[in-house]
Structures are given as C-alpha cells and as structure tokens.
Amino acid sequence: MHDEGESPRAAAAPDPAPPSSGLLAEVGQLARAVKRLFGAQMQLLAAELGLARSAISWLLLAALATTVAGVALGLTLLGLVGVLLAAWFGSWIWALLALALLQVLFLLGAIALFRRCMHWMSLPVTRSEWSAMMRETLHKAEAGDAAGRGNRRDDHQEERP
C-alpha cells in the first residue's frame, strides 16, 4: 500500500496551499471580467445614446407633422361648422358672426383655464414648495461657489514660497 519510506501521515496530508500567484491570477481574471462587463455596458449606453440622438430629429419632425395635422383638422372643422351655420341661418354673415362668437367663447374658456392654473401655482402649499426649491438651489450654488473660491485660495497659497 504505502511505500516503506513514506509515513502514513505524509500520504494522507493534503497538498500544500497553492502559491499566492494563483490567487492573483484569479483576481486578475475577475478584474478583466468586470472590465469586459462594464465595457459592454458602456458600448450599450453609447449605442442607446446614438439611437436617442437620431430619434430626436424624427421626434421633432413627428411633432411638427402632428401640429400641422391638428391645425388643418381644426380649420376643416371650423369651415364645416361655418357651412352648417350658413345653411341653418340662410346667411353667410350671420354664420360668420356666430362662428366668431363661438371662437371668442372658446378663447375666454382657455384664458379662464390658464388663470385657474396660475391660481393653483400661487396657492400656499405650491408657493412654499417653490420657495423651498429656490432656497435649496441658491444654497447649492453658494456652496459650489464657496468650494470653488476655497480651491482657488488653496492653489494660490501653495504657490507662495
């Protein structure tokens, strides 16, 4: 079973611990894997940003086309209402006056909605949130300015002998 020169203890003893270079190799492999992973993530992010950049021009074009189509639809419906009013009143002048009155009422409704929204913005809760946001922004700007001035002072003090 065992060689005569070998003790039973030596035969049962585990191999000595692998050298530390094996651990360093595994850490190096881990670092390379993490680098590949983050490199792939950065490539994916760059590709997504490229797609987003090219999509912006198409998005703006689609918004313009939608606006044009909406205005055209509005004008068409307005013309249709004008024709129906002219047929109902039997006079183009009365039809156009009624149409102008409808447009004025629509305009006044839009102004009233705008004023209501502005009123909601001036409510106490909204005002306090707005002022808190402005104070926070001002404090961040002042802190950034103070840090910038502090760094410049440190740089100037280091230059002096």
Side-chain angles (χ1 to χ4, degrees):
M1 284 188 150
H2 295 290
D3 288 342
E4 293 182 20
E6 245 184 290
S7 70
R9 253 186 182 179
D15 290 337
S20 62
S21 65
L23 178 64
L24 290 176
E26 287 182 15
V27 170
Q29 285 178 338
L30 177 66
R32 285 188 296 278
V34 168
K35 184 179 178 182
R36 276 195 311 268
L37 174 69
F38 284 115
Q41 291 293 328
M42 290 303 292
Q43 287 176 348
L44 180 63
L45 178 63
E48 287 178 356
L49 288 176
L51 283 174
R53 211 175 304 126
S54 67
I56 287 175
S57 59
W58 286 108
L59 182 69
L60 291 174
L61 182 65
L64 179 63
T66 304
T67 303
V68 168
V71 169
L73 177 65
L75 289 173
T76 302
L77 291 176
L78 201 59
L80 182 61
V81 169
V83 169
L84 292 175
L85 285 174
W88 187 37
F89 287 131
S91 168
W92 276 101
I93 294 175
W94 285 110
L96 291 177
L97 285 174
L99 199 56
L101 179 64
L102 285 174
Q103 289 177 350
V104 166
L105 290 175
F106 182 76
L107 178 64
L108 291 175
I111 291 171
L113 177 64
F114 180 78
R115 289 184 60 158
R116 174 55 73 181
C117 291
M118 292 303 291
H119 173 69
W120 291 335
M121 289 296 295
S122 67
L123 292 175
V125 173
T126 310
R127 278 196 311 255
S128 65
E129 288 177 6
W130 178 261
S131 62
M133 185 174 62
M134 289 295 116
R135 279 194 301 274
E136 181 181 329
T137 304
L138 182 62
H139 289 304
K140 284 181 182 178
E142 288 174 349
D145 188 38
R149 275 189 270 132
N151 288 342
R152 280 184 261 144
R153 285 184 188 147
D154 292 342
D155 292 343
H156 291 300
Q157 289 174 355
E158 291 176 7
E159 291 175 5
R160 293 181 186 161

